[in-house]
mmCIF file of all heavy atoms in Angstrom:
data_model
loop_
_atom_site.group_PDB
_atom_site.id
_atom_site.type_symbol
_atom_site.label_atom_id
_atom_site.label_comp_id
_atom_site.label_asym_id
_atom_site.label_seq_id
_atom_site.Cartn_x
_atom_site.Cartn_y
_atom_site.Cartn_z
ATOM 1 N N ALA A 1 12.779 -2.357 -8.100
ATOM 2 C CA ALA A 1 12.031 -2.298 -9.359
ATOM 3 C C ALA A 1 12.849 -1.651 -10.465
ATOM 4 O O ALA A 1 12.711 -2.002 -11.645
ATOM 5 C CB ALA A 1 10.727 -1.537 -9.152
ATOM 6 N N ALA A 2 13.729 -0.705 -10.091
ATOM 7 C CA ALA A 2 14.591 -0.069 -11.087
ATOM 8 C C ALA A 2 15.757 -0.965 -11.478
ATOM 9 O O ALA A 2 16.246 -0.892 -12.610
ATOM 10 C CB ALA A 2 15.108 1.269 -10.543
ATOM 11 N N ARG A 3 16.192 -1.820 -10.543
ATOM 12 C CA ARG A 3 17.371 -2.665 -10.774
ATOM 13 C C ARG A 3 17.021 -3.992 -11.445
ATOM 14 O O ARG A 3 17.829 -4.562 -12.173
ATOM 15 C CB ARG A 3 18.049 -2.918 -9.418
ATOM 16 C CG ARG A 3 19.223 -3.893 -9.428
ATOM 17 C CD ARG A 3 20.407 -3.325 -10.168
ATOM 18 N NE ARG A 3 21.503 -4.266 -10.197
ATOM 19 C CZ ARG A 3 21.603 -5.287 -11.035
ATOM 20 N NH1 ARG A 3 20.650 -5.504 -11.920
ATOM 21 N NH2 ARG A 3 22.662 -6.084 -11.005
ATOM 22 N N THR A 4 15.803 -4.509 -11.216
ATOM 23 C CA THR A 4 15.398 -5.817 -11.739
ATOM 24 C C THR A 4 14.012 -5.708 -12.386
ATOM 25 O O THR A 4 13.267 -4.764 -12.106
ATOM 26 C CB THR A 4 15.341 -6.857 -10.602
ATOM 27 O OG1 THR A 4 14.287 -6.498 -9.688
ATOM 28 C CG2 THR A 4 16.664 -6.916 -9.844
ATOM 29 N N PRO A 5 13.623 -6.674 -13.213
ATOM 30 C CA PRO A 5 12.269 -6.668 -13.811
ATOM 31 C C PRO A 5 11.209 -7.152 -12.832
ATOM 32 O O PRO A 5 10.408 -8.034 -13.142
ATOM 33 C CB PRO A 5 12.426 -7.609 -15.016
ATOM 34 C CG PRO A 5 13.491 -8.570 -14.607
ATOM 35 C CD PRO A 5 14.459 -7.777 -13.762
ATOM 36 N N LEU A 6 11.212 -6.579 -11.645
ATOM 37 C CA LEU A 6 10.327 -7.024 -10.577
ATOM 38 C C LEU A 6 8.859 -6.766 -10.906
ATOM 39 O O LEU A 6 7.984 -7.527 -10.490
ATOM 40 C CB LEU A 6 10.713 -6.315 -9.278
ATOM 41 C CG LEU A 6 10.301 -6.932 -7.952
ATOM 42 C CD1 LEU A 6 10.910 -8.311 -7.790
ATOM 43 C CD2 LEU A 6 10.724 -6.034 -6.801
ATOM 44 N N LEU A 7 8.606 -5.681 -11.641
ATOM 45 C CA LEU A 7 7.232 -5.325 -12.025
ATOM 46 C C LEU A 7 7.174 -5.074 -13.530
ATOM 47 O O LEU A 7 6.687 -4.028 -13.988
ATOM 48 C CB LEU A 7 6.765 -4.100 -11.242
ATOM 49 C CG LEU A 7 6.514 -4.311 -9.746
ATOM 50 C CD1 LEU A 7 6.276 -2.994 -9.039
ATOM 51 C CD2 LEU A 7 5.335 -5.258 -9.526
ATOM 52 N N ALA A 8 7.673 -6.024 -14.291
ATOM 53 C CA ALA A 8 7.652 -5.895 -15.748
ATOM 54 C C ALA A 8 6.209 -5.779 -16.242
ATOM 55 O O ALA A 8 5.343 -6.545 -15.837
ATOM 56 C CB ALA A 8 8.334 -7.104 -16.386
ATOM 57 N N GLY A 9 5.976 -4.825 -17.105
ATOM 58 C CA GLY A 9 4.634 -4.611 -17.629
ATOM 59 C C GLY A 9 3.798 -3.646 -16.822
ATOM 60 O O GLY A 9 2.630 -3.406 -17.152
ATOM 61 N N ALA A 10 4.379 -3.054 -15.763
ATOM 62 C CA ALA A 10 3.625 -2.116 -14.939
ATOM 63 C C ALA A 10 3.284 -0.836 -15.686
ATOM 64 O O ALA A 10 2.383 -0.106 -15.267
ATOM 65 C CB ALA A 10 4.403 -1.789 -13.666
ATOM 66 N N ASP A 11 4.000 -0.569 -16.762
ATOM 67 C CA ASP A 11 3.673 0.624 -17.553
ATOM 68 C C ASP A 11 2.382 0.429 -18.343
ATOM 69 O O ASP A 11 1.862 1.399 -18.924
ATOM 70 C CB ASP A 11 4.825 0.957 -18.500
ATOM 71 C CG ASP A 11 5.211 -0.219 -19.392
ATOM 72 O OD1 ASP A 11 4.836 -1.357 -19.059
ATOM 73 O OD2 ASP A 11 5.880 0.007 -20.409
ATOM 74 N N THR A 12 1.861 -0.789 -18.367
ATOM 75 C CA THR A 12 0.590 -1.068 -19.046
ATOM 76 C C THR A 12 -0.518 -1.381 -18.049
ATOM 77 O O THR A 12 -1.592 -0.786 -18.096
ATOM 78 C CB THR A 12 0.751 -2.252 -20.017
ATOM 79 O OG1 THR A 12 1.771 -1.948 -20.966
ATOM 80 C CG2 THR A 12 -0.559 -2.531 -20.738
ATOM 81 N N LEU A 13 -0.265 -2.322 -17.135
ATOM 82 C CA LEU A 13 -1.281 -2.735 -16.173
ATOM 83 C C LEU A 13 -0.619 -3.207 -14.889
ATOM 84 O O LEU A 13 0.343 -3.973 -14.927
ATOM 85 C CB LEU A 13 -2.142 -3.865 -16.757
ATOM 86 C CG LEU A 13 -3.217 -4.476 -15.846
ATOM 87 C CD1 LEU A 13 -4.232 -3.417 -15.425
ATOM 88 C CD2 LEU A 13 -3.906 -5.646 -16.540
ATOM 89 N N CYS A 14 -1.114 -2.734 -13.767
ATOM 90 C CA CYS A 14 -0.580 -3.127 -12.459
ATOM 91 C C CYS A 14 -1.750 -3.386 -11.513
ATOM 92 O O CYS A 14 -2.745 -2.651 -11.516
ATOM 93 C CB CYS A 14 0.325 -2.029 -11.895
ATOM 94 S SG CYS A 14 1.064 -2.421 -10.280
ATOM 95 N N PHE A 15 -1.627 -4.438 -10.714
ATOM 96 C CA PHE A 15 -2.668 -4.796 -9.758
ATOM 97 C C PHE A 15 -2.207 -4.484 -8.343
ATOM 98 O O PHE A 15 -1.067 -4.793 -7.964
ATOM 99 C CB PHE A 15 -3.017 -6.278 -9.853
ATOM 100 C CG PHE A 15 -3.619 -6.677 -11.171
ATOM 101 C CD1 PHE A 15 -2.910 -7.483 -12.057
ATOM 102 C CD2 PHE A 15 -4.878 -6.244 -11.534
ATOM 103 C CE1 PHE A 15 -3.453 -7.857 -13.267
ATOM 104 C CE2 PHE A 15 -5.435 -6.607 -12.751
ATOM 105 C CZ PHE A 15 -4.727 -7.405 -13.620
ATOM 106 N N VAL A 16 -3.086 -3.882 -7.562
ATOM 107 C CA VAL A 16 -2.871 -3.669 -6.134
ATOM 108 C C VAL A 16 -3.835 -4.593 -5.402
ATOM 109 O O VAL A 16 -5.058 -4.473 -5.565
ATOM 110 C CB VAL A 16 -3.128 -2.210 -5.723
ATOM 111 C CG1 VAL A 16 -3.064 -2.066 -4.204
ATOM 112 C CG2 VAL A 16 -2.113 -1.282 -6.381
ATOM 113 N N ASP A 17 -3.309 -5.529 -4.636
ATOM 114 C CA ASP A 17 -4.137 -6.464 -3.869
ATOM 115 C C ASP A 17 -3.939 -6.201 -2.388
ATOM 116 O O ASP A 17 -2.807 -5.964 -1.938
ATOM 117 C CB ASP A 17 -3.757 -7.908 -4.186
ATOM 118 C CG ASP A 17 -4.093 -8.295 -5.616
ATOM 119 O OD1 ASP A 17 -5.285 -8.336 -5.946
ATOM 120 O OD2 ASP A 17 -3.161 -8.534 -6.402
ATOM 121 N N ILE A 18 -5.013 -6.258 -1.637
ATOM 122 C CA ILE A 18 -4.936 -6.031 -0.193
ATOM 123 C C ILE A 18 -5.721 -7.119 0.517
ATOM 124 O O ILE A 18 -6.793 -7.541 0.056
ATOM 125 C CB ILE A 18 -5.467 -4.622 0.173
ATOM 126 C CG1 ILE A 18 -5.237 -4.342 1.662
ATOM 127 C CG2 ILE A 18 -6.928 -4.446 -0.216
ATOM 128 C CD1 ILE A 18 -5.465 -2.893 2.037
ATOM 129 N N ASP A 19 -5.172 -7.595 1.631
ATOM 130 C CA ASP A 19 -5.838 -8.654 2.387
ATOM 131 C C ASP A 19 -5.255 -8.681 3.797
ATOM 132 O O ASP A 19 -4.143 -8.195 4.040
ATOM 133 C CB ASP A 19 -5.642 -10.010 1.705
ATOM 134 C CG ASP A 19 -6.619 -11.064 2.221
ATOM 135 O OD1 ASP A 19 -7.606 -10.670 2.873
ATOM 136 O OD2 ASP A 19 -6.399 -12.262 1.981
ATOM 137 N N SER A 20 -6.008 -9.242 4.713
ATOM 138 C CA SER A 20 -5.550 -9.408 6.088
ATOM 139 C C SER A 20 -5.415 -10.889 6.398
ATOM 140 O O SER A 20 -5.980 -11.736 5.700
ATOM 141 C CB SER A 20 -6.544 -8.760 7.068
ATOM 142 O OG SER A 20 -7.811 -9.385 6.968
ATOM 143 N N MET A 21 -4.663 -11.187 7.434
ATOM 144 C CA MET A 21 -4.512 -12.578 7.864
ATOM 145 C C MET A 21 -4.329 -12.593 9.373
ATOM 146 O O MET A 21 -3.771 -11.649 9.952
ATOM 147 C CB MET A 21 -3.306 -13.238 7.178
ATOM 148 C CG MET A 21 -1.987 -12.549 7.419
ATOM 149 S SD MET A 21 -0.603 -13.456 6.695
ATOM 150 C CE MET A 21 0.700 -12.219 6.765
ATOM 151 N N LEU A 22 -4.813 -13.637 10.014
ATOM 152 C CA LEU A 22 -4.673 -13.762 11.455
ATOM 153 C C LEU A 22 -3.448 -14.611 11.768
ATOM 154 O O LEU A 22 -3.342 -15.741 11.293
ATOM 155 C CB LEU A 22 -5.922 -14.406 12.060
ATOM 156 C CG LEU A 22 -5.909 -14.525 13.590
ATOM 157 C CD1 LEU A 22 -6.010 -13.152 14.219
ATOM 158 C CD2 LEU A 22 -7.058 -15.410 14.073
ATOM 159 N N ARG A 23 -2.518 -14.061 12.544
ATOM 160 C CA ARG A 23 -1.346 -14.815 12.976
ATOM 161 C C ARG A 23 -1.493 -15.138 14.452
ATOM 162 O O ARG A 23 -1.484 -14.248 15.302
ATOM 163 C CB ARG A 23 -0.050 -14.005 12.739
ATOM 164 C CG ARG A 23 0.289 -13.804 11.298
ATOM 165 C CD ARG A 23 0.417 -15.104 10.510
ATOM 166 N NE ARG A 23 1.429 -15.988 11.062
ATOM 167 C CZ ARG A 23 1.215 -17.262 11.340
ATOM 168 N NH1 ARG A 23 0.031 -17.813 11.146
ATOM 169 N NH2 ARG A 23 2.180 -18.003 11.820
ATOM 170 N N ARG A 24 -1.645 -16.402 14.715
ATOM 171 C CA ARG A 24 -1.895 -16.846 16.089
ATOM 172 C C ARG A 24 -0.640 -16.725 16.938
ATOM 173 O O ARG A 24 0.471 -17.043 16.472
ATOM 174 C CB ARG A 24 -2.378 -18.293 16.083
ATOM 175 C CG ARG A 24 -2.832 -18.795 17.433
ATOM 176 C CD ARG A 24 -3.351 -20.223 17.332
ATOM 177 N NE ARG A 24 -3.946 -20.657 18.577
ATOM 178 C CZ ARG A 24 -4.484 -21.853 18.757
ATOM 179 N NH1 ARG A 24 -4.493 -22.739 17.759
ATOM 180 N NH2 ARG A 24 -5.021 -22.186 19.926
ATOM 181 N N VAL A 25 -0.787 -16.275 18.185
ATOM 182 C CA VAL A 25 0.310 -16.252 19.154
ATOM 183 C C VAL A 25 -0.191 -16.922 20.434
ATOM 184 O O VAL A 25 -1.395 -17.016 20.672
ATOM 185 C CB VAL A 25 0.791 -14.810 19.453
ATOM 186 C CG1 VAL A 25 1.295 -14.137 18.187
ATOM 187 C CG2 VAL A 25 -0.317 -13.965 20.071
ATOM 188 N N TYR A 26 0.742 -17.347 21.242
ATOM 189 C CA TYR A 26 0.388 -18.086 22.453
ATOM 190 C C TYR A 26 0.741 -17.331 23.726
ATOM 191 O O TYR A 26 0.246 -17.663 24.792
ATOM 192 C CB TYR A 26 1.086 -19.454 22.449
ATOM 193 C CG TYR A 26 0.645 -20.327 21.297
ATOM 194 C CD1 TYR A 26 1.330 -20.299 20.080
ATOM 195 C CD2 TYR A 26 -0.468 -21.147 21.407
ATOM 196 C CE1 TYR A 26 0.915 -21.090 19.019
ATOM 197 C CE2 TYR A 26 -0.889 -21.948 20.351
ATOM 198 C CZ TYR A 26 -0.190 -21.906 19.155
ATOM 199 O OH TYR A 26 -0.611 -22.681 18.100
ATOM 200 N N GLY A 27 1.601 -16.326 23.621
ATOM 201 C CA GLY A 27 1.956 -15.548 24.795
ATOM 202 C C GLY A 27 0.849 -14.583 25.185
ATOM 203 O O GLY A 27 0.515 -13.670 24.435
ATOM 204 N N LYS A 28 0.258 -14.771 26.359
ATOM 205 C CA LYS A 28 -0.866 -13.938 26.775
ATOM 206 C C LYS A 28 -0.433 -12.533 27.181
ATOM 207 O O LYS A 28 -1.271 -11.639 27.313
ATOM 208 C CB LYS A 28 -1.599 -14.611 27.946
ATOM 209 C CG LYS A 28 -2.206 -15.959 27.582
ATOM 210 C CD LYS A 28 -2.949 -16.560 28.761
ATOM 211 C CE LYS A 28 -3.549 -17.911 28.391
ATOM 212 N NZ LYS A 28 -4.275 -18.522 29.536
ATOM 213 N N GLN A 29 0.859 -12.310 27.371
ATOM 214 C CA GLN A 29 1.350 -10.998 27.799
ATOM 215 C C GLN A 29 1.798 -10.128 26.630
ATOM 216 O O GLN A 29 2.258 -9.014 26.836
ATOM 217 C CB GLN A 29 2.511 -11.175 28.782
ATOM 218 C CG GLN A 29 2.164 -11.989 30.022
ATOM 219 C CD GLN A 29 1.020 -11.381 30.813
ATOM 220 O OE1 GLN A 29 0.964 -10.178 30.996
ATOM 221 N NE2 GLN A 29 0.111 -12.228 31.287
ATOM 222 N N LYS A 30 1.691 -10.626 25.420
ATOM 223 C CA LYS A 30 2.103 -9.831 24.266
ATOM 224 C C LYS A 30 1.201 -8.607 24.113
ATOM 225 O O LYS A 30 -0.022 -8.699 24.267
ATOM 226 C CB LYS A 30 2.049 -10.670 22.983
ATOM 227 C CG LYS A 30 3.190 -11.648 22.822
ATOM 228 C CD LYS A 30 3.021 -12.451 21.532
ATOM 229 C CE LYS A 30 4.192 -13.397 21.314
ATOM 230 N NZ LYS A 30 5.367 -12.699 20.808
ATOM 231 N N GLN A 31 1.817 -7.478 23.775
ATOM 232 C CA GLN A 31 1.041 -6.254 23.603
ATOM 233 C C GLN A 31 0.178 -6.337 22.338
ATOM 234 O O GLN A 31 0.627 -6.815 21.304
ATOM 235 C CB GLN A 31 1.974 -5.047 23.483
ATOM 236 C CG GLN A 31 2.707 -4.693 24.756
ATOM 237 C CD GLN A 31 3.601 -3.487 24.561
ATOM 238 O OE1 GLN A 31 3.857 -3.051 23.449
ATOM 239 N NE2 GLN A 31 4.090 -2.935 25.678
ATOM 240 N N GLY A 32 -1.059 -5.850 22.447
ATOM 241 C CA GLY A 32 -1.902 -5.672 21.273
ATOM 242 C C GLY A 32 -2.572 -6.920 20.750
ATOM 243 O O GLY A 32 -3.190 -6.870 19.694
ATOM 244 N N ILE A 33 -2.487 -8.038 21.460
ATOM 245 C CA ILE A 33 -3.127 -9.244 20.938
ATOM 246 C C ILE A 33 -4.629 -9.177 21.201
ATOM 247 O O ILE A 33 -5.101 -8.449 22.071
ATOM 248 C CB ILE A 33 -2.537 -10.524 21.566
ATOM 249 C CG1 ILE A 33 -2.712 -10.508 23.091
ATOM 250 C CG2 ILE A 33 -1.090 -10.688 21.183
ATOM 251 C CD1 ILE A 33 -2.308 -11.796 23.753
ATOM 252 N N GLY A 34 -5.393 -9.932 20.432
ATOM 253 C CA GLY A 34 -6.838 -9.997 20.602
ATOM 254 C C GLY A 34 -7.363 -11.225 19.894
ATOM 255 O O GLY A 34 -6.663 -11.853 19.090
ATOM 256 N N PHE A 35 -8.594 -11.584 20.181
ATOM 257 C CA PHE A 35 -9.201 -12.758 19.561
ATOM 258 C C PHE A 35 -9.819 -12.350 18.227
ATOM 259 O O PHE A 35 -10.668 -11.459 18.176
ATOM 260 C CB PHE A 35 -10.259 -13.367 20.478
ATOM 261 C CG PHE A 35 -9.672 -14.208 21.573
ATOM 262 C CD1 PHE A 35 -9.394 -13.650 22.812
ATOM 263 C CD2 PHE A 35 -9.370 -15.541 21.355
ATOM 264 C CE1 PHE A 35 -8.839 -14.417 23.822
ATOM 265 C CE2 PHE A 35 -8.809 -16.317 22.359
ATOM 266 C CZ PHE A 35 -8.547 -15.749 23.594
ATOM 267 N N GLY A 36 -9.379 -13.003 17.165
ATOM 268 C CA GLY A 36 -9.878 -12.726 15.834
ATOM 269 C C GLY A 36 -10.435 -13.972 15.184
ATOM 270 O O GLY A 36 -10.141 -15.104 15.591
ATOM 271 N N HIS A 37 -11.233 -13.756 14.149
ATOM 272 C CA HIS A 37 -11.886 -14.857 13.442
ATOM 273 C C HIS A 37 -10.937 -15.486 12.433
ATOM 274 O O HIS A 37 -10.201 -14.789 11.734
ATOM 275 C CB HIS A 37 -13.138 -14.336 12.728
ATOM 276 C CG HIS A 37 -13.769 -15.332 11.810
ATOM 277 N ND1 HIS A 37 -13.470 -15.393 10.459
ATOM 278 C CD2 HIS A 37 -14.659 -16.320 12.040
ATOM 279 C CE1 HIS A 37 -14.170 -16.360 9.910
ATOM 280 N NE2 HIS A 37 -14.900 -16.935 10.834
ATOM 281 N N ALA A 38 -10.950 -16.798 12.358
ATOM 282 C CA ALA A 38 -10.156 -17.534 11.369
ATOM 283 C C ALA A 38 -10.893 -18.813 11.015
ATOM 284 O O ALA A 38 -11.813 -19.248 11.719
ATOM 285 C CB ALA A 38 -8.761 -17.854 11.904
ATOM 286 N N LYS A 39 -10.485 -19.408 9.898
ATOM 287 C CA LYS A 39 -11.074 -20.680 9.468
ATOM 288 C C LYS A 39 -9.969 -21.727 9.478
ATOM 289 O O LYS A 39 -8.969 -21.603 8.770
ATOM 290 C CB LYS A 39 -11.688 -20.550 8.084
ATOM 291 C CG LYS A 39 -12.387 -21.814 7.599
ATOM 292 C CD LYS A 39 -13.152 -21.587 6.304
ATOM 293 C CE LYS A 39 -14.431 -20.827 6.551
ATOM 294 N NZ LYS A 39 -15.293 -20.786 5.337
ATOM 295 N N VAL A 40 -10.136 -22.757 10.278
ATOM 296 C CA VAL A 40 -9.159 -23.828 10.419
ATOM 297 C C VAL A 40 -9.844 -25.147 10.112
ATOM 298 O O VAL A 40 -10.808 -25.531 10.791
ATOM 299 C CB VAL A 40 -8.548 -23.858 11.837
ATOM 300 C CG1 VAL A 40 -7.560 -25.017 11.956
ATOM 301 C CG2 VAL A 40 -7.875 -22.544 12.160
ATOM 302 N N GLY A 41 -9.365 -25.834 9.072
ATOM 303 C CA GLY A 41 -9.954 -27.112 8.702
ATOM 304 C C GLY A 41 -11.406 -27.007 8.294
ATOM 305 O O GLY A 41 -12.171 -27.956 8.487
ATOM 306 N N GLY A 42 -11.795 -25.843 7.737
ATOM 307 C CA GLY A 42 -13.175 -25.648 7.327
ATOM 308 C C GLY A 42 -14.106 -25.177 8.425
ATOM 309 O O GLY A 42 -15.298 -24.957 8.176
ATOM 310 N N TYR A 43 -13.580 -24.991 9.653
ATOM 311 C CA TYR A 43 -14.400 -24.555 10.775
ATOM 312 C C TYR A 43 -14.065 -23.108 11.135
ATOM 313 O O TYR A 43 -12.902 -22.688 11.084
ATOM 314 C CB TYR A 43 -14.166 -25.449 12.001
ATOM 315 C CG TYR A 43 -14.577 -26.886 11.798
ATOM 316 C CD1 TYR A 43 -13.652 -27.846 11.400
ATOM 317 C CD2 TYR A 43 -15.894 -27.279 12.009
ATOM 318 C CE1 TYR A 43 -14.027 -29.173 11.216
ATOM 319 C CE2 TYR A 43 -16.278 -28.605 11.819
ATOM 320 C CZ TYR A 43 -15.345 -29.533 11.427
ATOM 321 O OH TYR A 43 -15.721 -30.839 11.241
ATOM 322 N N ASN A 44 -15.073 -22.343 11.516
ATOM 323 C CA ASN A 44 -14.877 -20.980 11.976
ATOM 324 C C ASN A 44 -14.486 -21.001 13.449
ATOM 325 O O ASN A 44 -15.232 -21.535 14.283
ATOM 326 C CB ASN A 44 -16.152 -20.154 11.786
ATOM 327 C CG ASN A 44 -16.486 -19.949 10.315
ATOM 328 O OD1 ASN A 44 -15.587 -19.774 9.502
ATOM 329 N ND2 ASN A 44 -17.771 -19.976 9.979
ATOM 330 N N VAL A 45 -13.334 -20.428 13.755
ATOM 331 C CA VAL A 45 -12.836 -20.424 15.130
ATOM 332 C C VAL A 45 -12.333 -19.021 15.477
ATOM 333 O O VAL A 45 -12.112 -18.187 14.603
ATOM 334 C CB VAL A 45 -11.691 -21.451 15.312
ATOM 335 C CG1 VAL A 45 -12.180 -22.857 15.085
ATOM 336 C CG2 VAL A 45 -10.530 -21.136 14.370
#
């Protein structure tokens, strides 16, 4: 941000956005995986 105009105008107004997303994995042995809600093709899965 100091080297480039990455956040030009932040001295006036800056937005903080937060959101989550489900990243599907196929390995059943991966640590910390769980079944989460997602919408695929308009359907809740």
Side-chain angles (χ1 to χ4, degrees):
R3 174 68 181 80
T4 66
L6 201 61
L7 290 171
D11 55 342
T12 302
L13 177 61
C14 181
F15 296 111
V16 173
D17 293 294
I18 186 168
D19 196 15
S20 61
M21 58 175 166
L22 183 69
R23 292 304 302 129
R24 187 178 187 179
V25 300
Y26 297 91
K28 297 182 180 180
Q29 302 301 318
K30 284 179 177 282
Q31 291 180 347
I33 59 173
F35 281 93
H37 171 267
K39 183 172 285 189
V40 178
Y43 296 95
N44 293 323
V45 296

